[in-house]
Amino acid sequence: MNDIFATLESEVRSYSRTWPTVFDRAGGSYLYDEDGTPYLDFFAGAGALNYGHNNPLLKRKLIEYIERDGVTHGLDQSTVAKRAFLETFRDNVLKPRGLNYKIQFPGPTGTNSVESALKLVRKITGRESIISFTNAFHGMTLGSLSVTGNSMKRGGAGIPLVHATPMPYDDYFDGQVPDFLYFEKMLEDSGSGLNEPAAVIVETLQGEGGINSSRPAWLRGLYELCQKHGMLMIVDDVQMGCGRTGPFFSFEEAGIQPDIVCLSKSIGGYGLPLALTLIKPEHDVWEPGEHNGTFRGNNPAFVTATEALKQYWADDSLEKATIAKGERVGEVLEELAAKHGGAVAKGRGLARGLGFEDTNVAGKVSKAAFDRKLLVETSGPSSEVIKIMPPLTISDDELEKGLQIIRDSVQAVLA
């Protein structure tokens, strides 16, 4: 492998260590290294490539836009590309779901969306404290880190991370404790020492935290608790939105309407950076320019995002296909869990995981899969879960091929 990466690039790099080859091309569900070797992708850019690599439908629109000298960089100026995106998002996503949100473009990444949400709820309520959840992951900037659970990630901040209090996520106590027993008691007891929270921030399915899926009833209970105690509800749908769990938003199944929703990763469609913060209209109390960013108007991403919404969200066919494919992955993972003691199948839609009691196993399975030309990462506080997130557009044959490699890899490690 070309030593330039080892000699010149920072030690902070991680995925290049997990998958030690040099990639050159990509198409659909495959990445190709510089020798032309194909790798089936069950990683999908950590959820940024729900529609696959270099999706030809989106690529055509992007090339046409660039060739006609469409605006590339526009900050928050009004552009034709932004207008088309806003209209399409309204018509294909918000209206069919009966949702009413203002759309903020906070900057190009998920953590930009989270930071803007945290600032906004504090401005709205005049309170400082945020409630987050065990094993949450919300981003790598200081506000997002303050509501993230992982101790290694938090340690990287180098300063105290304050004004956030973690509460137990769904099933944190293995079903031994009623939902919100501790949280509600803390809220209602004037001697608890809990600062009055501005908001809660929650992932309906924790990806980085270990493919921990909350139940719809738990989410509804949390929503009701927020309403009862005057807290706003932020749903971080950066990784699990844009259809990853089946529906466009991961909270749809619970029948709730969060006050604020954070979107990024696959909202741009093509892997181009884009983030949105969706805000209930009554909460849109920003002053002009109060939260901004140089790259908040990525117009080429508006173009590919618009086309993705037209191609994949004009009806429910992608949603149904994702749920069906997810059930197929679930079957195979249940089969593996039954065969290997201490393994547990996790997740929903096409965000799936296989957790192992022995925290060394998942990393070895990931390596065995790479040796068999499949890209699959690990997640969880001890990297104890194999995380399965292929493109939503993956074919049934490609899915079966990848699942067989996972079977073989688990067998090879645990034999």
Side-chain angles (χ1 to χ4, degrees), residues 79-94:
T79 63
V80 167
K82 187 202 282 187
R83 180 171 60 203
F85 171 76
L86 287 168
E87 290 170 348
T88 308
F89 192 83
R90 178 194 64 198
D91 295 344
N92 286 25
V93 176
L94 297 179

Side-chain angles (χ1 to χ4, degrees), residues 9 38 56 126 138 176 183 242 274-275 322 336:
E9 194 182 353
H138 295 290
Q176 300 303 301
F183 188 7
C242 305
L274 185 63
T322 298
L336 284 167

Side-chain angles (χ1 to χ4, degrees), residues 45-49 108 110 208 238-239 242 263-269 271-272 274-275:
L49 296 167
E208 300 302 307
V238 168
Q239 191 167 68
C242 305
L263 285 178
S264 186
K265 289 196 186 279
S266 279
I267 190 62
L272 297 175
L274 185 63

Side-chain angles (χ1 to χ4, degrees), residues 18 58 88 216 248 282 289-290 346 357 393:
T18 305
L58 313 187
T88 308
F248 187 86
E282 63 268 28
E290 194 173 3
K346 310 178 83 177
E357 269 180 349
T393 51

Side-chain angles (χ1 to χ4, degrees), residues 191-267:
S192 71
L194 180 68
N195 292 325
E196 208 174 15
V200 301
I201 184 166
V202 66
E203 303 152 278
T204 77
L205 193 162
Q206 296 179 328
E208 300 302 307
I211 308 294
N212 308 315
S213 183
S214 63
R215 293 162 297 138
W218 184 85
L219 279 175
R220 282 194 293 274
L222 179 61
Y223 186 63
E224 286 159 14
L225 200 62
C226 286
Q227 293 183 310
K228 182 178 172 183
H229 291 277
M231 302 178 292
L232 299 178
M233 186 179 194
I234 306 166
V235 168
D236 179 344
D237 236 356
V238 168
Q239 191 167 68
M240 295 302 154
C242 305
R244 178 51 59 183
T245 66
F248 187 86
F249 295 108
S250 70
F251 57 79
E252 288 181 47
E253 192 185 357
I256 61 172
Q257 294 195 6
D259 295 287
I260 298 177
V261 182
C262 300
L263 285 178
S264 186
K265 289 196 186 279
S266 279
I267 190 62

